[in-house]
Structure formats: structure tokens, C-alpha cells
Amino acid sequence: MELAHPNAPVSLLKGRSPLDWLAAALLAAGGLFAFNRYSAYMDGYEQAFLLIAIPVFAALAWAWAGLRNLLAGVAVLALSGVSLYHADLARAEQVFLLKYFLSSQTAIGWMCFLFFLATAAYWLGLLAKSEFAEKTGTALCWTAVLMGATGMLVRWYESYLIGADIGHIPISNLYEVFVLFSLITALLYLHYERRYATRKLGAFVLIVISAAVGFTLWYTFSRGAHEIQPLVPALQSYWMKIHVPANFIGYGAFSLSAMIGVAWLLAERGILASRLPSLAVMEDVMYKAIAIGFAFFTVATILGALWAAEAWGTYWQWDPKETWALIVWLNYAAWLHLRLTKGLRGSVLAWWAVVGLVVTTFAFLGVNMFLSGLHSYGEL
Amino acid sequence: MPRTFARQLYELLSSMRFAVSLLTVLAIASVIGTVLKQNEPYNNYLDQFGQFWFPVFESLGLYSVYHAGWFLAILTFLVISTSLCIIRQAPGMVKEMRSYRTGAREASLRQFAHKHLTHTGLARDEAQQKVSEYLLARGYKSQSKVQENGVLIAAKAGSWNRMGYLLAHSAIVMICVGGLLDGDLPLKLEMMLGSKHVTGLDKPFAEIGPESRLGPQHWSYRGNVFLPEGKRSNIAVLNVQDGALLQELPFSITLKKFHIEHYSTGMPKRFASDIVLTDLQSGAQLEHTIEVNKPFEYRGVSLYQASFEDGGSKLKLKAHSLLPGSMRVTEADGTVGESLQLTQGSDAMRIEITGFRPFNVENMAQPSVAEKNTLAMLNRSLGSGAKSADGKDLKNVGPSFSYKVRDAAGQAREYNNYMMPVEQNGRSYFMAGMRETPAEAFRYLRLPADEDDKLTTWLALHAMLTSPKEHALIARRFAAQAMGGPGVSDTVRTRLADTAERTLGLYSERGFESLGKFINDTVPEPEREKAADVFVRVLQGCAWEAWQLTRERQKLKPLEMNAARADFVRDSINSISDSFLYGAPFYLELDQFEEVKASIIQATRSPGKNGVYLGCALLVAGVFFMLYVRERRLFVLLKDSGEVLMALSSNRKTLDTDTEFARHQEAIESLLNHGTRTP
Ligand code: HEM
């Protein structure tokens, strides 16, 4: 994810495959179709988002073939799901494909199941040194992301079927952001898997994802948290739509770095050392993940401040969630100082990253569980 | 040695070690305020910590950590330290950004971690040109310098990395300074100097003097304006320590109307205030609607929809006496937030009307016995996200209001009554809630509504059954009804009537409680249950007769008994019995209302905001440059001997640097040997 990517092609347009062009054309066609048909219902920000999304997704699809295929798959499945509904929510119970495959709860259920399987496959691959099992893990992980992303998009549509005034993007409560977290962490991992050409770290990263998935399931079964709720006035803001995803890229990247930190510490003690990538490679992934997490978390915190200024009348008021976001941010700022300017390496940084996960988890979940504040966004 | 001491201090403050320590200390200090709830009324803390710890924690500023002196000191250190750090690093960095280091010696290049020695067959000029072109194409800027044994091409890329450092660290300073200015530091100073004092809010604003008022030109503030519909205000209340200060605004606000909308689920959907703003200097007026997430700014003051309350709704009330045998109804007009006097019998009571809600959304679903096995659970969670897990059935059950009744001793009980009957298990009840202390939940008296959906029948029944002088008549009629057949002797009937009268007598003392006590005292253990059953049946019969009697007196036709009426009778004797514990000698019915809402609008002035936002923009840019632009320097020394020394340095040690050097090495090597075969 470096700007000055040493291996970046000199020309962006040269050497593009027909598939790349097809992907870009489809994205542009879909985006423009949506714009043409729905722009009357959107405000200026939403129109801008939609138009900017076209080149951004095209660029991502070109840079990463796996992502391109994912986008295509998600588009096909989500559109099928939406069209099967015939604008009638009751069909989720009646149509076989919806009930057992494409309706949002079912699709997210598949995601959960597939992430568990992927975790098992990666561990099998790591312990048995089986490349086949590892590749299966990768395939399962991609499929899980496919189903999860489909589920989220279908959920988005379902929310509008409940009522035009209730419809909203599904990133507005703790249940939804947990699914988002799982998806983002998995995609970040898959990115590094490709960049560093090693599938060995999947076993560790998927543990965090499985934990999130486990929580999601518990939250569904015991609290009925999956039910789509309308947005209370405080959440009716376009800031939410960018603040929340940016935050979760941060949380996802920090979690990933912590799991690499665990792998590093084990390898340093000779545990699994022969099976894991070299310490230098893990170190590098850890740094890359924290760097991207820090960049996004900085942006997310600032967006949060801008939103707070609009919703609560002040950009900073030491609300527990805000304060813990600052603590997380300071923690990784300190990490980067140690690593970049002291050139410090090794177990201090790995431990620090692991402790970072504890701090991050508290900011993400603990604040909602134990502290009260204005972020009354999903309580436990 | 003062100079060296100053120097040492400067070096310490601007050092990395100090920076990391500061960041860590700040993080840990921040935790305190999230664990302990901040800015609560001081009494809460006193309750929580007790006499001994309360003042200790107060002196440590723990009730308002983020405004405590020591916390501000940490922030100040952060500003100083970061500033010094910039001052110390900036000149070197700028020089570094500019310089190509063309003076680098071969000996030092040989010390680099990334270096490579090769040969070229090309002439020096040609080689130099090719290499320079190659570097330019890869985004490197270069300069060449002839040295004693050849020519050195010194190239650099990613110099913005250093700029990133300057941007991000200056941003921290800007954000902190802006934030400190918008905080309550200026106000704290004024209060410390003794020119301003906090006040209580137990008197009208007009009586609060200038020592607790801040003028409209005050630098920064954040306070609440309380605005009932139709009223006007130019005062924002700032909560400071354990009191308040009044902030005068440069304009006045009139609330025309407050809007509140709900989703069908009862969740709030929109809060909005239609206001008219009048500039107190120019007299200019403008109208605007403020909503949550849609504030309005005027003359540097931002107005936000913060909250809402009742603004003094007008309630028309009817007090129905619950004294034995009384059917008295007293009418009264009440206003939320005010109190009224009510006389019941010999007592005069003070009623404080505390709240009014025009609607209440309640979950009316019967708790279902859902299957617990895994398959059923799984099946329930498939499908759309619209499905409710527990089959909620939300209904608006209409208005409710709450009040406190204070007795002569000053003790207050709190009541909460619904205006309309609420359906439960297919029957309708007026819900009358009561609690003795705010810590409890309301316990509800369920008074059955009659066939006209009114409370009238229940009230009449209550009066009859609690009135001793009616008991004999009711009992006699009950006996005649129950044993009216020709084969029953008068003595049996009289015995039954006596029993019924005694039952009513006991019941009208304290309901089932007195009956239960009587049974315990007089009936042997094994027969108690049966006796209780008999008493209840007698009571039900009497209640039915009492009901018919009231109808007779009103010249209404007697009723036929049916299941619904039997239920009504049963509910009535239960609730009349419960009403002995109600604690008030009347039931207050809400007859009509005229709602007046009040909006709470937050007014803030934060002139440091622009600095903070600019700082944020710089921070993002700075972090981006620092993390995603790697500074690299590539040196190619073309020696006269045909030897070529390549070396690369970067201030980031990542694997990318390794791969990049490998690529340049290969590319330059093939460039310099292209078409020439050197042995
Ligand atoms: C609180 C927020 C801060 C953030 C987010 C932050 C961020 C960073 C980052 C990411 C770097 C690495 C850049 C590089 O090596 O090129 C850095 C470098 C550095 N920071 Fe900070 N910093 C903060 C506060 C401070 C403070 C308070 C000090 C001084 C006491 C400080 C002193 C330094 C120094 C000396 C460097 C090394 C610059 C170099 O040689 O490249 N930083 N900072």
C-alpha cells in the first residue's frame, strides 16, 4: 500500500487485461445507471460519493484481481437477492434461494460458518504443512467475504423494504459494525497474503475474525441484535457513513497487527518457527498494518470530531468513546515513534502491538459495555 | 553551569524519549476520566466516596479531570515539547530536503547496508546520461559531481517525508492550542482572579447579578438555552463546578414550535425547533429551523438542538376521592413544573406536577414460549434482517403524566397515571403508578375500565364497598340472590347475610390483608384455603350486587351476568384491595391537556475551531507523507576505472527498500552493460 510502490508499473494503462477493462466498464455502467435513476433521491454528498466510487473501485479492481472477482461476485449475488424480493419482505420466508442463501441473515450466517471453516483450514495448513489446506483456507476466506458483503448489501435493501424512512446503510449499530469489522479485517489480511506471498499468517489473523464472528452469533441469538432498527436523529448524518468505515479499517488493521505480533513472539521462542514466515517479514507486515491503521484511524478520529461538532456542538468533549479513541491513537503514535525514529525492532514492538489489541478492543467494545456516554450506539 | 542546564533541559524536552513518555502518560491520564463519570452534581460524588475521600478526589480534580490543572499541564508539556522538537529538527530537515549530498565519499558509500559493485564498458558521459535518465524516469531527482576518481550521481526521492514530519508535528501544536483556547481555561482564570462566581439556579435569572453573568463578548463558551414554546430568551446557562453561570448571547431566540416525530416503532425520528432569532444590536430578525445534526451559526455562535423537556403543559385534572364511601370529584387546573393545592376531607395536600408525555409506546406482546432447540433457533435467525427476534408488538398507549404528593411531613410519593385505558390480556385498565422513592420502579394499580371505557363504575363500586353504611343492604341482597329459592329457610339466609356483612366490613378496612389476617386468626390451618375461597366468592357476589344497586339508584336496567362482567368484578375487588396501599386519598384523572413543549438549545462559541480544523488537515497530510512517502537516496559512483559503485539509503527500514534496491541494481547494471560484453 505504499505510494512509491517500487514495483508499480510505469504506465497505468499499459498491459491491462481485457478483464480489467470489462470490470471498469461494468463499474462505470452500473454507477452511471444508478446515478441516472436515483440521483433525484440523493443529496449532493451522496451523488459525489457515488461518482467517486466508480474510479476508486475501478482502480482497486485493477490493482487486485482477487478484489475484482469479489466485486463481480457480490454484484451478481446481491442483485439476485434484491430482485428475488419483488419488494416484498415476506418472500424472505417463502423463496428457497432467499431463505437459505441470499437473504441478509442467511448470507451473514454463511459468512460466519465459512470464516470458521477458513480458520480450521489455515490451521490445518500451518500444522500439517499442507499447501492444499492453506489454499482451501484462502478460498474459504474469500467466499466468506463474498457472502458477508452480499448479506450487508441485501440488508441495506431490506431496510428500505421495512419503510422508506427507515432505510439506511447497515453500519449503524454494534451488530452491523461487527460484520463490517470481520469483512475489513479479512480483506486486509487477504491483501497482505498476496503482497507477501505467504498463507502462513492466516491461521493467526483468522482467530481474531472468528472471535468477532462468535460475538456476532452470540449477539444474534441471545440479544436479537440483528433486527434492523431505524436511525435515531443523532445518527442521521452523512458523517456516519464515512466515520464508521474509516474507524473499522483502523480497528481491523490494528487487530491484524496484533495477531502478527503473537505469531512473531511465538516464532521468536522457537514455536512454529519453521512453519511461519521469517521474523523480518512478520515485522514488516506488522509495521504496514499499523501504518495503514494509524492513517485511517487519524482520519476517522478527525471525522468523528467534525461530526461531533455538528451533532453535539463541540468537536471534542472527552466523551468516553472519544477519549478511548485518543488513547488508541496515542498508543500507536508511540509505537510508530519507537519503530521509525529509534529503528527499534523486536519483541518490545511485538508486545506493544499485542497490548494495542487489548486497548483497541476496549475502545471498540469495552466502552459500550462498561462506560456510559453519548455514543449510545449499541449497548450490551 | 546554567547554560548547560538549559541546554540539557532543551534536549530532554525535545527528545524522542520524552515524546514517547508524554504520549503514554497522556493516554493513561485520559483513562481516569472515562472510568469516573465526569461533571456530575457534587452530591453524587459525596454519596459515592464518602466524607473522607470526597475532598481528596476533589482537590485532585478527578470530577473534571480534563479541566484539572495537572491535566492541562500535561497538554502544555505536549505543546512545548512538540514545539521544541520542531525547532530543533526543522533546520536540519529543510537542509536535508534540499541537499543531494553530492559530497559523499566512496569510503562512506561502501558502509551502506545496500551497496553493489559492478562494471561498465560505456564511456563516462554516456553512462552518466543513461543513469540520470533512468533515475529521472523512476521519480528520482539527481545531481552529479565530479570527484577525484570519477563522477558521483547523487539522487533522491520522497523528500516530502520530512515535510510530513513538520506538518504533522506543527498540527499537534495547532490542535492543542486551539483546543485549549476553546476550553474553559480563560473562564477558569477569571474565576480564579475572583471576578466571577457560580450561582445556584433556584431563583429567576433577573435576580442573578453581574458577578455570575458573562457578557456577549465572552471568548468561548458552551451552554444551554431553555426555551418553552412561545417564549424568548437570550441567556445560556453554563454548568460550572457545582453551580452555574449565565452567558448573555448577542441575540435572543424565540421558540415558535418544537417538533418531535417518531417511527412506527416508537423510536424518535426527528427533533426540530422553529426559532426566530433577533439580533440585539441591529434588531434584525431571521427564522430558522434547528435539527439534530443540523446546527445554525450566527455571529460566531452556533446553535444546536440539544434536548427537549416539557415546557409547562396545561392539564385539566379531576381528583376522584378514594376515601371510604366518598364519590367526591374535585376539578383542578395544573401546569407541569408547578404545584397545586388539593383538599381531601380534612387534609390539604400539595401536588407537584412533574411531567407530561403526550404518548407512550409500549411493547404489548405476550411473552411467547419460543422453542429453545438449536434447529428452531437457527431457523428463526434465517431470512431478512427485518424479522424481530422476540415478536415485539409496539403500541402507543396514549398520554401519561406524573406528579408528587407531599404530605404534611414533607415526604413525597411519586405517581404516574395514564390518561387512557391500556389493554392487557384482552381487558382494559387505567394504570395508576406509584413509587415511594425515585430509585424504585413504579408499581401499577390496574383499575378496570367499564363498558363505556370509563372509570365511573369502578369508582362507584369502590365507594359502595368501602362504605360501612351500605354493607347491610348489599349483604342482604346478596343473600337473597344466592339463596333466594323457596326451600331455604330465613335463618340460613340471615346467617349468610351476616357472614357477607362481616366480610365486607373486614374488606373495607384494608382489603384482602384484613381478610387474610382474620382467617389466620380464626380458621385452623387445614381449612384456610377453603375459607379464603368462600370469602372471595362472597365478595364477588356482593360486588355484583353493589354494582346492580348503583345502577338501580341511577334508574338503569339491571345487567345480565356474563364472563366479561365476572372478570370486571374480579378485577375490581382486586384493585380496590390494592388501593389501600396506594398512599393517596384520591385518584387523579387527566381529563384534558394542552401540550407545551420546551426545546433545549445549546449555544457555543469556539473561536479556536478554525485553528483546530486547519491542524487536522495538516495532520492528515503529515501522517500520510510520513508513512507513505519513503525518503530514499541512491548514489551511483561511476569511477574512471570503469568500476561502478551503487548504494541506497532510506530513513525507513522496510522490506520495500530491499526489493527496490535489488530492482535498481539489476536495471542499472543491464543499462550500463547493454550491448557491450565486458569479460
Ligand atoms: C501526539 C502526536 C504525535 C504524533 C502523531 C507523531 C507522529 C510521528 C511520526 C509518525 C513520526 C515518524 C516520522 C519519521 O520518522 O519520519 C514522528 C517522528 C518524530 N516525532 Fe512525533 N508525533 C507526535 C508527537 C511528538 C512529540 C510530542 C515529539 C517531541 C517531543 C515528537 C518528536 C518526534 C521526533 C523527534 C521524530 C523524529 C523525526 C525524524 O527524525 O524523522 N513527536 N512523529
Side-chain angles (χ1 to χ4, degrees), chain A residues 329 337 341, chain B residues 19 23 81-82 85 89 93 165 169 172 626 652:
Chain A
W329 189 75
H337 274 91
T341 62
Chain B
L23 299 183
S81 158
T82 316
C85 177
Q89 305 270 345
M93 288 209 173
Y165 164 85
H169 289 78
I172 302 291
M626 279 197 293
R652 286 278 176 283

Side-chain angles (χ1 to χ4, degrees), chain B residues 403-414:
Chain B
Y403 56 97
K404 284 183 185 166
V405 181
R406 210 171 279 282
D407 60 20
Q411 290 290 16
R413 282 198 171 88
E414 212 176 332

Side-chain angles (χ1 to χ4, degrees), chain A residues 287 294 298 326 329-330 332-342, chain B residues 11-20 22-23 26 77-86 88-89 93 161-166 168-169 171-173 176 619 622-623 625-627 629 631 651-652:
Chain A
Y287 162 67
F294 187 74
T298 306
L326 177 70
W329 189 75
L330 291 171
Y332 289 102
W335 192 97
L336 286 169
H337 274 91
L338 289 177
R339 146 108 199 186
L340 294 179
T341 62
K342 284 270 187 202
Chain B
E11 275 171 12
L12 172 72
L13 287 179
S14 61
S15 75
M16 271 288 313
R17 208 158 21 107
F18 194 73
V20 172
L22 258 183
L23 299 183
L26 184 59
F77 262 111
L78 186 71
V79 171
I80 294 175
S81 158
T82 316
S83 309
L84 291 180
C85 177
I86 298 169
R88 185 171 162 190
Q89 305 270 345
M93 288 209 173
N161 175 286
R162 309 271 171 177
M163 203 57 196
Y165 164 85
L166 292 178
H169 289 78
I172 302 291
V173 175
C176 290
L619 180 64
V623 166
F625 287 132
M626 279 197 293
L627 296 178
V629 178
E631 187 201 61
N651 67 345
R652 286 278 176 283

Side-chain angles (χ1 to χ4, degrees), chain B residues 250-317:
Chain B
F251 47 77
S252 75
I253 318 169
T254 310
L255 179 64
K256 278 175 50 184
K257 186 149 182 53
F258 179 72
H259 303 273
I260 170 165
E261 291 168 22
H262 288 80
Y263 294 104
S264 55
T265 60
M267 278 167 73
K269 179 175 173 182
R270 176 170 180 258
F271 302 119
S273 299
D274 295 338
I275 58 160
V276 182
L277 194 145
T278 312
D279 191 317
L280 294 180
Q281 254 172 22
S282 67
Q285 284 203 333
L286 61 147
E287 296 198 7
H288 197 83
T289 300
I290 301 175
E291 286 186 50
V292 175
N293 272 313
K294 288 179 191 143
F296 176 58
E297 184 170 332
Y298 185 75
R299 287 186 50 193
V301 182
S302 302
L303 300 173
Y304 301 83
Q305 181 64 56
S307 162
F308 66 94
E309 272 181 23
D310 193 281
S313 295
K314 304 261 180 286
L315 310 181
K316 278 209 176 311
L317 304 169

Side-chain angles (χ1 to χ4, degrees), chain A residues 1-7 10 85 89 92-93 98-100 103-106 155 158 162 165-166 195-196 220-221 223-224 226-237 239 280-281 284 287-288 290-295 298-299 302 305-315 317-320 323-324 326-327 329-331 333-334 336-342 345 352 362 371-372, chain B residues 16-17 19-20 23-24 26-28 30-31 33-35 37-38 66-67 71 75 78 137-138 169 172 175 178-180 182-183 222 262-265 267-271 291-295 304-305 377-390 392 602 604 606 608-609 612-613 615-617 619-620 623-624 626-630 632 651-657 659-660 663:
Chain A
M1 286 300 291
E2 284 223 7
L3 252 209
H5 193 314
N7 304 313
V10 181
Y85 263 114
L89 269 178
E93 300 296 314
L98 283 178
K99 169 110 194 180
Y100 294 105
S103 65
S104 68
Q105 278 315 109
T106 313
R155 185 180 170 91
E158 285 168 357
I162 300 178
D165 62 341
I166 289 181
R195 264 300 298 277
Y196 288 85
T220 304
F221 287 132
R223 299 298 171 93
H226 59 279
E227 193 186 342
I228 297 172
Q229 297 283 2
L231 287 184
V232 295
L235 296 179
Q236 293 165 12
S237 166
W239 290 116
V281 165
D284 213 58
Y287 162 67
K288 288 280 166 57
I290 287 185
I292 192 156
F294 187 74
T298 306
V299 173
I302 291 172
L306 293 174
W307 183 8
E310 204 169 284
W312 299 332
T314 176
Y315 48 83
Q317 61 178 345
W318 300 101
D319 166 77
T323 310
W324 274 94
L326 177 70
I327 294 169
W329 189 75
L330 291 171
N331 178 58
L336 286 169
H337 274 91
L338 289 177
R339 146 108 199 186
L340 294 179
T341 62
K342 284 270 187 202
R345 293 291 187 277
W352 200 303
F362 193 84
L371 309 176
S372 59
Chain B
M16 271 288 313
R17 208 158 21 107
V20 172
L23 299 183
T24 316
L26 184 59
I28 292 169
S30 303
V31 173
T34 69
V35 179
K37 243 179 147 184
Q38 298 286 290
Y66 307 111
H67 308 127
F71 192 85
L75 284 181
L78 186 71
R138 299 287 134 157
H169 289 78
I172 302 291
I175 292 173
L180 286 174
D182 283 350
R222 179 159 178 241
H262 288 80
Y263 294 104
S264 55
T265 60
M267 278 167 73
K269 179 175 173 182
R270 176 170 180 258
F271 302 119
E291 286 186 50
V292 175
N293 272 313
K294 288 179 191 143
Y304 301 83
Q305 181 64 56
M377 239 164 79
L378 192 64
N379 201 31
R380 265 205 307 283
S381 24
L382 297 182
S384 81
K387 230 175 15 174
S388 155
D390 45 5
K392 280 199 199 104
Q602 179 176 286
T604 65
S606 33
K609 192 154 113 179
V612 172
Y613 286 1
C616 287
L619 180 64
V620 172
V623 166
F624 190 79
M626 279 197 293
L627 296 178
Y628 290 106
V629 178
R630 274 178 311 132
R632 289 145 295 152
N651 67 345
R652 286 278 176 283
K653 285 168 196 59
T654 65
L655 294 183
D656 293 323
T657 315
T659 36
E660 183 177 3
R663 232 164 26 85

Side-chain angles (χ1 to χ4, degrees), chain A residues 36-294:
Chain A
N36 191 27
R37 182 136 175 208
Y38 299 113
S39 61
Y41 305 104
M42 301 177 171
D43 62 25
Y45 295 99
E46 288 160 342
Q47 292 176 357
F49 274 136
L50 178 59
L51 292 180
I52 293 169
I54 300 173
V56 167
F57 277 99
L60 285 172
W62 281 11
W64 187 3
L67 193 66
R68 182 189 66 204
N69 301 342
L70 176 75
L71 286 176
V74 169
V76 170
L77 290 187
L79 288 174
S80 314
V82 166
S83 62
L84 280 173
Y85 263 114
H86 298 318
D88 177 12
L89 269 178
R91 283 173 62 87
E93 300 296 314
Q94 300 150 0
V95 181
F96 181 85
L97 264 180
L98 283 178
K99 169 110 194 180
Y100 294 105
F101 194 50
L102 290 177
S103 65
S104 68
Q105 278 315 109
T106 313
I108 290 171
W110 278 110
M111 175 201 84
C112 297
F113 180 60
L114 287 163
F115 271 136
F116 286 141
L117 283 188
T119 313
Y122 275 123
W123 273 101
L124 186 69
L126 185 72
L127 296 177
K129 295 199 176 169
S130 152
E131 206 186 322
F132 174 74
E134 284 174 352
K135 283 188 169 161
T136 311
T138 305
L140 285 168
C141 197
W142 275 111
T143 320
V145 174
L146 171 67
M147 290 312 293
T150 302
M152 289 291 261
L153 289 176
V154 173
R155 185 180 170 91
W156 195 349
Y157 173 75
E158 285 168 357
S159 70
Y160 278 89
L161 289 187
I162 300 178
D165 62 341
I166 289 181
H168 59 84
I169 186 170
I171 48 172
S172 69
N173 64 31
L174 206 54
Y175 171 83
E176 290 165 346
V177 296
F178 255 94
V179 177
L180 183 72
F181 170 83
S182 307
L183 294 179
I184 286 178
T185 313
L187 278 175
L188 282 170
Y189 165 71
L190 288 167
H191 165 70
Y192 291 120
E193 182 179 283
R194 183 189 65 121
R195 264 300 298 277
Y196 288 85
T198 170
R199 298 194 159 88
K200 311 266 189 264
L201 294 169
F204 284 87
V205 178
L206 266 280
I207 288 179
V208 156
I209 299 179
S210 288
V213 164
F215 177 86
T216 312
L217 289 175
W218 170 81
Y219 207 35
T220 304
F221 287 132
S222 87
R223 299 298 171 93
H226 59 279
E227 193 186 342
I228 297 172
Q229 297 283 2
L231 287 184
V232 295
L235 296 179
Q236 293 165 12
S237 166
Y238 54 81
W239 290 116
M240 178 187 82
K241 300 171 195 170
I242 43 181
H243 168 64
V244 175
N247 246 321
F248 279 85
I249 296 178
Y251 286 149
F254 293 151
S255 313
L256 190 144
S257 75
M259 293 320 287
I260 310 291
V262 172
W264 193 98
L265 289 168
L266 288 177
E268 194 206 18
R269 285 160 179 69
I271 304 165
L272 295 175
S274 63
R275 294 175 157 82
L276 286 168
S278 72
L279 292 180
V281 165
M282 289 197 277
E283 168 107 71
D284 213 58
V285 182
M286 197 157 67
Y287 162 67
K288 288 280 166 57
I290 287 185
I292 192 156
F294 187 74

Side-chain angles (χ1 to χ4, degrees), chain B residues 54-67:
Chain B
F54 172 78
V56 177
F57 290 166
E58 187 190 7
S59 63
L60 289 176
L62 295 194
Y63 310 139
S64 188
V65 169
Y66 307 111
H67 308 127

